[in-house]
Amino acid sequence: AQKVTQAQTEISVVEKEDVTLDCVYETRDTTYYLFWYKQPPSGELVFLIRRNSFDEQNEISGRYSWNFQKSTSSFNFTITASQVVDSAVYFCALSEASTNAGKSTFGDGTTLTVKP
Amino acid sequence: SQTIHQWPATLVQPVGSPLSLECTVEGTSNPNLYWYRQAAGRGLQLLFYSVGIGQISSEVPQNLSASRPQDRQFILSSKKLLLSDSGFYLCAWSDRVGWDEQFFGPGTRLTVL
């Protein structure tokens, strides 16, 4: 069975600090997909990134970067020079290729608070 | 471009009353559709998903039901609400082919009193 663990329930940083959100997953599939979503205070989840299990290349998008390591079953998300607008709940999710309808299992989320 | 709508945005209902939440998607065909519930301060719980008209799969046994009368319409219902049904309900869609990311609607905040 698939499982996603986000051990950090809440993180608080001061603006301009770097912050890393951890995500550890469990799956028996060799083909799977990992996602990160952002849920700002408005409530609507916003897709950030998708990674498949065959692509371990790290990715950078502006101040955001993602570190995918199959050896440790982790898909961590780093925000560089955090800003107040980064305050949100961040969810990591996993979809197994063998799962019907592309269902995703979500972690419980990490609440990030960036203070000015 | 694709858009997803949910209504109502907020709802306060008494225990025992019926419920109907609606979700519609525009700009895509044959999407996978999903209903999630998010309790306060908690993660997302998948309630139902659908791969086509009239095809509903339930993930969690409960007093809720879902229907898909049209390709891009997904409805969440209950005949009698419980206090435990309070929460934030999110509808989402994804492309039928592959395991693409999901796109979420703005959500409905339901309070059962």
Side-chain angles (χ1 to χ4, degrees):
Chain A
Q2 54 187 10
K3 183 179 179 181
V4 176
T5 301
Q6 294 180 255
Q8 305 150 308
T9 305
E10 297 181 6
I11 300 177
S12 181
V13 299
V14 177
E15 207 169 19
K16 298 185 182 178
E17 286 184 9
D18 298 347
V19 58
T20 296
L21 309 182
D22 297 334
C23 173
V24 174
Y25 61 91
E26 295 177 26
T27 178
R28 294 181 180 176
D29 278 25
T30 56
T31 303
Y32 51 90
Y33 303 83
L34 295 163
F35 308 85
W36 275 96
Y37 293 87
K38 174 182 180 180
Q39 185 179 37
S42 62
E44 184 174 337
L45 270 78
V46 176
F47 164 74
L48 295 178
I49 190 172
R50 171 181 181 263
R51 249 322 180 235
N52 72 58
S53 53
F54 299 109
D55 183 2
E56 285 193 73
Q57 204 169 19
N58 291 331
E59 183 159 336
I60 298 174
S61 177
R63 296 184 297 106
Y64 294 172
S65 62
W66 290 270
N67 182 2
F68 176 28
Q69 292 194 340
K70 289 178 73 171
S71 60
T72 56
S73 297
S74 64
F75 186 42
N76 296 337
F77 173 30
T78 297
I79 302 175
T80 303
S82 60
Q83 300 177 1
V84 173
V85 293
D86 295 327
S87 296
V89 182
Y90 291 87
F91 291 95
C92 181
L94 164 71
S95 289
E96 295 174 328
S98 60
T99 302
N100 188 28
K103 294 185 299 177
S104 289
T105 295
F106 284 77
D108 286 339
T110 296
T111 300
L112 174 64
T113 302
V114 181
K115 299 178 180 178
Chain B
S1 63
Q2 303 91 355
T3 55
I4 179 169
H5 303 279
Q6 277 187 252
W7 64 92
T10 59
L11 191 60
V12 180
Q13 292 285 93
V15 170
S17 64
L19 173 73
S20 181
L21 303 181
E22 190 163 341
C23 170
T24 59
V25 181
E26 296 177 357
T28 187
S29 297
N30 302 315
N32 292 328
L33 295 172
Y34 312 86
W35 276 113
Y36 290 89
R37 177 169 59 200
Q38 185 178 26
R42 303 291 298 276
L44 296 172
Q45 179 187 36
L46 179 63
L47 301 175
F48 301 95
Y49 68 92
S50 171
V51 300
I53 296 174
Q55 301 179 60
I56 309 294
S57 296
S58 174
E59 288 292 296
V60 182
Q62 58 219 328
N63 69 318
L64 299 172
S65 62
S67 62
R68 185 171 177 174
Q70 301 179 43
D71 181 47
R72 289 169 289 178
Q73 184 184 28
F74 206 22
I75 297 172
L76 183 69
S77 304
S78 174
K79 292 182 179 178
K80 288 186 178 181
L81 284 169
L82 307 172
L83 286 174
S84 57
D85 291 324
S86 293
F88 189 51
Y89 288 82
L90 288 156
C91 180
W93 74 272
S94 70
D95 200 303
R96 174 66 65 83
V97 178
W99 288 264
D100 286 347
E101 59 273 18
Q102 295 181 17
F103 297 95
F104 287 80
T108 295
R109 198 163 299 279
L110 172 66
T111 303
V112 182
L113 301 175

